[in-house]
Amino acid sequence: MNENLFASFIAPTILGLPAAVLIILFPPLLIPTSKYLITNRLITTQQWLIKLTSKQMMTMHNTKGRTWSLMLVSLIIFIATTNLLGLLPHSFTPTTQLSMNLAMAIPLWAGAVIMGFRSKIKNALAHFLPQGTPTPLIPMLVIIETISLLIQPMALAVRLTANITAGHLLMHLIGSATLAMSTINLPSTLIIFTILILLTILEIAVALIQAYVFTLLVSLYLHDNT
């Protein structure tokens, strides 16, 4: 009970060296692959889910936007597997680190915006000034739209960090309460433990949904610039 509430969010080290890189590289090793023409049910289900997700995200894109399909599918798989592994006991979730989420969001957002300025500079500049804007409001709207554009990667990173961190903290608090009540009141312990199980199921859903939301928003930014 004396454990630090935020201890699970501290980046782990091995012999004084950061182990976050190894943890980030670990999830791809869990994705099964097959060298055979006829695959098993697990591989078939995995391929069906990837195809379904890719089709849903790429439907609205043109030919240039669809060149990002491999990157976006890899992104959603990476975030989903990282979030799910972080639900295991005594594990570390890299997506609870704002620095890592910014490292994913900023390059993807910047790539989409730069692509928009290179291919459709008139449409890209038109976003800063909506049609029919009164002349006195033009400077203010340009500033607001510029801030809105620059804050997009921060919003992506903070949304993912906040949702994953909040879920882990809540599970930690309820788990600690379950352990504390186990020696005091058994019926109350069973109730709290049931809540913990339901919360765990919810967090599994949140882990997958947040991976989808992050990737979908990057896809929308790409769509607006292609």
Side-chain angles (χ1 to χ4, degrees):
M1 293 299 294
N2 294 326
E3 182 183 358
N4 185 2
L5 185 61
F6 296 95
S8 59
F9 303 114
I10 300 174
T13 58
I14 299 177
L15 299 177
L17 300 175
V21 176
L22 297 177
I23 296 173
I24 292 172
L25 295 176
F26 180 68
L29 300 177
L30 301 179
I31 300 174
T33 57
S34 176
K35 299 180 181 179
Y36 302 100
L37 181 62
I38 300 177
T39 58
N40 56 29
R41 294 179 182 177
L42 179 61
I43 301 293
T44 303
T45 304
Q46 173 188 300
Q47 292 175 348
W48 175 77
L49 288 173
I50 292 175
K51 184 177 180 180
L52 180 65
T53 305
S54 177
K55 182 179 179 181
Q56 186 171 359
M57 287 191 299
M58 294 292 111
T59 301
M60 59 183 175
H61 290 283
N62 55 20
T63 304
K64 183 177 292 186
R66 290 177 182 176
T67 57
W68 284 47
S69 58
L70 180 60
M71 184 186 302
L72 294 179
V73 170
S74 302
L75 179 66
I76 191 173
I77 292 175
F78 171 73
I79 297 177
T81 52
T82 303
N83 290 346
L84 291 175
L85 287 175
L87 295 175
L88 297 175
H90 304 288
S91 61
F92 172 71
T93 312
T95 47
T96 58
Q97 306 296 310
L98 183 61
S99 57
M100 175 180 167
N101 295 335
L102 283 173
M104 291 191 296
I106 291 177
L108 293 171
W109 167 83
V113 172
I114 292 172
M115 180 180 292
F117 276 100
R118 289 186 61 186
S119 60
K120 295 182 179 180
I121 187 169
K122 290 184 178 180
N123 292 339
L125 293 176
H127 288 297
F128 292 96
L129 189 63
Q131 187 176 4
T133 303
T135 304
L137 296 178
I138 288 178
M140 184 181 297
L141 279 179
V142 170
I143 295 174
I144 292 174
E145 291 298 328
T146 303
I147 295 174
S148 175
L149 177 66
L150 296 177
I151 209 172
Q152 286 178 352
M154 179 64 72
L156 270 178
V158 170
R159 181 185 295 107
L160 180 59
T161 304
N163 281 281
I164 301 302
T165 303
H168 284 242
L169 286 175
L170 193 56
M171 290 180 62
H172 181 84
L173 290 172
I174 295 180
S176 299
T178 305
L179 185 62
M181 292 294 294
S182 61
T183 57
I184 301 174
N185 192 333
L186 184 58
S188 299
T189 303
L190 294 177
I191 295 174
I192 299 176
F193 184 70
T194 304
I195 296 174
L196 180 61
I197 293 176
L198 296 176
L199 180 62
T200 304
I201 297 173
L202 177 63
E203 282 304 308
I204 293 174
V206 168
L208 298 175
I209 291 172
Q210 288 304 315
Y212 177 74
V213 169
F214 188 96
T215 310
L216 181 62
L217 289 176
V218 173
S219 178
L220 291 175
Y221 297 156
L222 177 64
H223 175 67
D224 292 338
N225 291 280
T226 54

